[in-house]
Amino acid sequence: MLEVDTPYDLQRYVGQSLGTSDWLEIDQARIDAFAAVSGDDNWIHVDVERARRELPDGKTIAHGMLTLSLVTFLGAGICRVRQRSRGINYGSNKVRFTAPVQCGARVRLHRTLDAYDPVDGGARLTFGNRIEIEGMSRPAMVAETISVMYAKEAQP
């Protein structure tokens, strides 16, 4: 895991890989919980028996937005800023769901720092994110996301 003291220390990593997360299994319980909070209960996500009969590999498929939501969780295992006050999700520039994540698949995140822009009290960070599926050549998702991270103290 990459560890730095402040958000300002990330500037030297622009254009570089920050690392790769651990694998995370996407089970039906996680898919069902996401369906419950998002209201997206399309049968391809939640109806195990129908998926067994009608989908090509007989498995339910995780929501694309579930996959995107994992960027924050998986990213926390890649980079840690020790002296920060808060961070916020600033948005996404590009998101593409390029392969389905089937129930039971394991995924992980590869992350790069694509841009660093100073803001008052911290930095706006643009990340390149690629979620890969174990054993598959095509990633599940590629996304450019933006976060704002604030330091505990102003930059000297």
Side-chain angles (χ1 to χ4, degrees), residues 49-94:
E49 292 307 315
R50 186 172 177 188
R52 190 171 289 132
R53 291 188 314 268
E54 297 182 33
L55 291 179
D57 290 323
K59 297 178 181 180
T60 58
I61 298 169
H63 307 73
M65 296 307 287
L66 168 57
T67 304
L68 177 60
S69 75
L70 292 173
V71 166
T72 301
F73 173 72
L74 295 173
I78 294 173
C79 179
R80 179 173 173 253
V81 178
R82 290 183 283 263
Q83 298 172 29
R84 67 177 221 163
S85 64
R86 68 190 183 283
I88 60 168
N89 177 351
Y90 194 74
S92 301
N93 287 335
K94 301 173 195 170

Side-chain angles (χ1 to χ4, degrees), residues 23 99-101 105-108 131-140:
W23 290 105
V101 176
R106 291 186 349 145
V107 299
R108 68 180 178 183
I131 292 192
E132 106 179 7
I133 306 166
E134 187 175 38
M136 304 287 288
S137 59
R138 178 176 232 167

Side-chain angles (χ1 to χ4, degrees), residues 1-153:
M1 175 186 294
L2 172 66
E3 292 192 51
V4 296
D5 287 328
T6 72
Y8 309 118
D9 296 328
L10 288 170
Q11 186 169 12
R12 68 176 167 257
Y13 294 96
V14 172
Q16 297 182 40
S17 171
L18 299 179
T20 303
S21 74
D22 291 335
W23 290 105
L24 174 69
E25 183 176 342
I26 306 303
D27 61 14
Q28 192 62 47
R30 184 181 297 271
I31 294 169
D32 290 345
F34 190 85
V37 298
S38 69
D40 182 353
D41 61 356
N42 186 314
W43 73 267
I44 66 172
H45 306 305
V46 298
D47 191 332
V48 174
E49 292 307 315
R50 186 172 177 188
R52 190 171 289 132
R53 291 188 314 268
E54 297 182 33
L55 291 179
D57 290 323
K59 297 178 181 180
T60 58
I61 298 169
H63 307 73
M65 296 307 287
L66 168 57
T67 304
L68 177 60
S69 75
L70 292 173
V71 166
T72 301
F73 173 72
L74 295 173
I78 294 173
C79 179
R80 179 173 173 253
V81 178
R82 290 183 283 263
Q83 298 172 29
R84 67 177 221 163
S85 64
R86 68 190 183 283
I88 60 168
N89 177 351
Y90 194 74
S92 301
N93 287 335
K94 301 173 195 170
V95 179
R96 299 291 181 267
F97 303 108
T98 54
V101 176
Q102 294 178 331
C103 182
R106 291 186 349 145
V107 299
R108 68 180 178 183
L109 173 66
H110 298 280
R111 181 170 252 194
T112 59
L113 181 59
D114 295 346
Y116 172 101
D117 298 295
V119 298
D120 189 26
R124 187 173 52 244
L125 307 165
T126 303
F127 297 104
N129 304 281
R130 187 176 81 249
I131 292 192
E132 106 179 7
I133 306 166
E134 187 175 38
M136 304 287 288
S137 59
R138 178 176 232 167
M141 185 202 77
V142 290
E144 185 178 270
T145 60
I146 309 165
S147 298
V148 178
M149 191 178 298
Y150 294 94
K152 284 187 177 180
E153 297 179 17

